[in-house]
Amino acid sequence: MSPTYPFACTLGICDGFNLLLPNNAIADVVSSMSITTTPKDQKWVVGELNWRELNIPVVSFEQLILQRTPRLRGSHVAIFHGTLDTEKMPFYGVTVQAIPHNFSLLKESDLTERMDDLKLDYCSMKVTARGVASIIPDLNNIEAKILSS
């Protein structure tokens, strides 16, 4: 990923990970919404949420990225814009532990790639953004996985 600068970002916390995303990836953030659990074999599928008259799938990045049970259940749901098949899935939700906030990366030095041995599935890149360790999730592959489930 090579963003052009300035680059607007959203930072959301998931199981101790800071997620770095373009602002236009998130449509809304909701709190205190009732998620209907669905009987799925995949642990990463949390359930469905009725949002603006649509039933949208809700997933756990912790399950996808680390393949482990999240330490904390998200208290908010970030609503992401679907991009791969907007007819079938115009939006999907992701549980987050804090309301994402916006900031701008103004220059290339605001974002540096991190190298470590931790293997994370569905992660495009591990970075430090303005001094905060973050991951950039692979949204296209995550969407493809949701659509195929």
Side-chain angles (χ1 to χ4, degrees):
M1 181 189 118
S2 293
T4 57
Y5 297 89
F7 181 71
C9 299
T10 298
L11 188 67
I13 301 170
C14 258
D15 195 25
F17 285 98
N18 296 298
L19 303 176
L20 185 63
L21 307 156
N23 274 345
N24 62 358
I26 297 180
D28 196 4
V29 178
V30 295
S31 301
S32 304
M33 298 293 289
S34 179
I35 297 172
T36 304
T37 56
T38 55
K40 295 265 186 177
D41 292 332
Q42 301 93 348
K43 292 181 181 179
W44 53 271
V45 176
V46 177
E48 285 188 346
L49 173 69
N50 187 290
W51 176 76
R52 297 186 183 176
E53 309 280 330
L54 295 170
N55 285 330
I56 62 171
V58 178
V59 299
S60 165
F61 273 168
E62 294 92 336
Q63 284 289 329
L64 284 167
I65 292 170
L66 291 172
Q67 299 295 312
R68 72 172 188 209
T69 303
R71 289 183 303 200
L72 297 171
R73 184 120 190 177
S75 58
H76 308 283
V77 177
I79 309 298
F80 282 66
H81 290 280
T83 58
L84 294 180
D85 186 347
T86 57
E87 297 245 343
K88 187 174 179 183
M89 188 178 72
F91 301 97
Y92 60 99
V94 174
T95 56
V96 292
Q97 295 170 3
I99 295 175
H101 64 278
N102 299 330
F103 63 92
S104 294
L105 297 176
L106 301 175
K107 54 192 181 300
E108 193 169 330
S109 62
D110 286 343
L111 181 70
T112 56
E113 188 170 5
R114 288 185 300 121
M115 300 294 180
D116 60 37
D117 293 333
L118 181 61
K119 169 74 172 108
L120 299 174
D121 295 330
Y122 299 96
C123 175
S124 292
M125 186 183 293
K126 294 181 235 171
V127 297
T128 300
R130 294 175 41 190
V132 178
S134 305
I135 60 170
I136 299 173
D138 185 344
L139 296 179
N140 284 341
N141 281 333
I142 289 169
E143 269 190 61
K145 184 158 182 84
I146 296 168
L147 284 165
S148 69
S149 67

